[in-house]
Amino acid sequence: MEIRLKNLTKEFPGEPKKNIPDTVAVSNLSVTIPDGKLVGLLGPSGCGKSTTLYMIAGLKQPTSGEIWFGDQDVTNLTPEKRGIGLVFQNYALYPHMSVYKNVAFPLTNLRVEKPVFYKDGTPVLDENGKQVYRRRRLARTEIDALVRKTAKLVQIEEYLDRKPSQLSGGQQQRVAIARALVKKPRVLLLDEPLSNLDARLRIQTREEIRRIQRETGITTVFVTHDQEEAMSICDQMVVMKLGVQQEIGAPQDIYNNPHNLFVAQFLGNPPINTFKGEIKADGIYIGTDKVLPNSRHLANGKVFVAIRPEGFVFGAGRETLSLHVQSIVIMGRDIVLNGTNPASIKPVVKAELSSDKQVSTGDIRCGIRPDKIFVFDAKTEERIEL
Ligand code: ADP
Ligand code: MG
């Protein structure tokens, strides 16, 4: 089910008496989430990710704008009528119920339109000869079949008789996902679902979510503040800052081609190195080092120059940057140099190089891969095409 957000805005009124200002949690957000894809909402804490998700869910009403599922305007529909499955960071399972009952819970009050038959199995028809339908609850056997099928999908079949407290965090989160999926929702919404898990389980569970999403083909919106998490499982991601969409696209495309300095700095670990720089007639400079030619004859001016840690190379290339190397960390395949450069906006410049070369501490010149260096206008922080 394609989800379309049209100029979605959410404002929370402040409390002037307590000096709490109005907050624009989400500002004029327009995004199309393609059918069957896993799309990440990514950004630092407070940028409006959860608010966006809850508006899609119907738990929060937008101040303005529209939400469409396919060709249906759902902006004013209740959460139940939207057909969504929701998973939170803290699992929110019912502690006194077994796993089975937790997963079955959304089905117990569900009413579905079912065809009506006579005792001998012939269909009941109305005066126009059309099949008669009646709304009724699911039968116990129908519920059982759905619970077991969903439990199999998320691989919790062995735990159906346990209580949530008898499961690990990762297993509890799978139960929560099963509970969200059992009603066959049109869209699956996940709000930081891995944040309560330890590092190893987080990676395992995110791969599980990817697998489940692929198997079901359900359109999924995945909220996270963790860029690595988003990069590793999303088909597309929407990067947000202070309620405003910064960029949308495939993770690798955004990484390789960030539109502004915020996005460049938010993606990547170790983060991109940022320097104060200057465009001059004959080149783009960091201090006295010319790091790029000025082949498009850009006007002189102040810029930020950002270089990915993996963008440094030994010797190669005409353009180089001087670094004062303070320490060298060998990490198997790679080495990481921790250095300084007076124009860097952070105290440490990190360079990742392959470990087959000898380096020593002190002053060196590093080559730069041209596809790993980006230039941004110093005022607008927008990318300047080179
Ligand atoms: P995120 O999920 O990206 O961390 P949220 O969507 O929870 O961010 O919040 C976005 C902004 O809206 C924050 O500044 C937050 O303080 C504010 N906010 C969220 N919910 C409320 C609320 N109920 N009342 C007032 N402000 C809120
Ligand atoms: Mg949140």
Side-chain angles (χ1 to χ4, degrees), residues 49-51 191-192 223:
K49 306 180 296 294
S50 296
T51 305
D191 191 7
E192 310 252 9
V223 162

Side-chain angles (χ1 to χ4, degrees), residues 257-268:
N257 197 13
H259 288 174
N260 65 36
L261 184 61
F262 171 81
V263 174
Q265 290 178 332
F266 197 71
L267 300 186

Side-chain angles (χ1 to χ4, degrees), residues 308-323:
R308 295 249 178 242
E310 69 273 24
F312 291 104
V313 282
F314 283 120
R318 280 174 302 160
E319 276 77 37
T320 58
L321 181 70
S322 52
L323 277 183

Side-chain angles (χ1 to χ4, degrees), residues 111-326:
R111 283 177 174 74
V112 287
E113 297 275 335
K114 289 278 182 178
V116 185
F117 299 96
Y118 293 109
K119 271 204 183 110
D120 66 359
T122 49
V124 176
L125 306 179
D126 65 14
E127 58 270 31
N128 301 319
K130 283 219 176 103
Q131 170 77 58
V132 172
Y133 285 83
R134 195 162 292 150
R135 283 174 77 76
R136 64 164 181 81
R137 288 171 192 242
L138 291 176
R140 194 185 292 266
T141 50
E142 290 171 309
I143 291 179
D144 190 66
L146 282 170
V147 170
R148 289 186 191 281
K149 190 172 159 211
T150 314
K152 186 157 185 254
L153 174 72
V154 306
Q155 298 179 346
I156 52 163
E157 302 138 284
E158 303 106 278
Y159 316 123
L160 285 172
D161 296 329
R162 293 202 199 171
K163 292 272 165 62
S165 60
Q166 295 168 311
L167 299 177
S168 73
Q171 291 161 342
Q172 289 186 51
Q173 196 53 298
R174 286 177 202 219
V175 176
I177 293 168
R179 189 180 55 183
L181 286 175
V182 75
K183 261 166 70 171
K184 298 213 172 79
R186 299 196 285 177
V187 300
L188 179 62
L189 307 172
L190 306 151
D191 191 7
E192 310 252 9
L194 308 175
S195 297
N196 281 8
L197 305 178
D198 64 45
R200 196 177 53 86
L201 263 181
R202 214 177 301 151
I203 293 177
Q204 211 182 1
T205 312
R206 84 181 181 209
E207 280 161 11
E208 273 298 282
I209 290 176
R210 176 81 259 205
R211 177 187 64 77
I212 293 163
Q213 194 276 332
R214 283 226 170 94
E215 273 181 37
T216 55
I218 187 169
T219 310
T220 301
V221 184
F222 182 102
V223 162
T224 179
H225 65 275
D226 181 335
Q227 56 91 25
E228 192 190 319
E229 201 167 283
M231 297 266 297
S232 64
I233 67 165
C234 295
D235 295 309
Q236 280 194 24
M237 54 191 199
V238 182
V239 185
M240 294 175 69
K241 174 191 173 190
L242 295 172
V244 180
Q245 175 189 330
Q246 304 292 302
E247 192 159 354
I248 175 164
Q252 206 58 39
D253 290 344
I254 301 183
Y255 183 83
N256 289 334
N257 197 13
H259 288 174
N260 65 36
L261 184 61
F262 171 81
V263 174
Q265 290 178 332
F266 197 71
L267 300 186
N269 187 25
I272 201 163
N273 301 292
T274 310
F275 305 86
K276 285 183 186 154
E278 200 171 346
I279 298 178
K280 296 183 183 170
D282 68 326
I284 299 168
Y285 284 77
I286 295 175
T288 53
D289 296 329
K290 182 174 152 185
V291 291
L292 283 167
N294 185 2
S295 29
R296 285 186 56 206
H297 307 291
L298 297 166
N300 293 5
K302 299 255 187 273
V303 290
F304 287 112
V305 179
I307 307 173
R308 295 249 178 242
E310 69 273 24
F312 291 104
V313 282
F314 283 120
R318 280 174 302 160
E319 276 77 37
T320 58
L321 181 70
S322 52
L323 277 183
H324 181 77
V325 179
Q326 290 176 316

Side-chain angles (χ1 to χ4, degrees), residues 12 23 25 44-51 60:
F12 292 107
T23 308
S45 177
C47 74
K49 306 180 296 294
S50 296
T51 305
K60 283 197 171 131

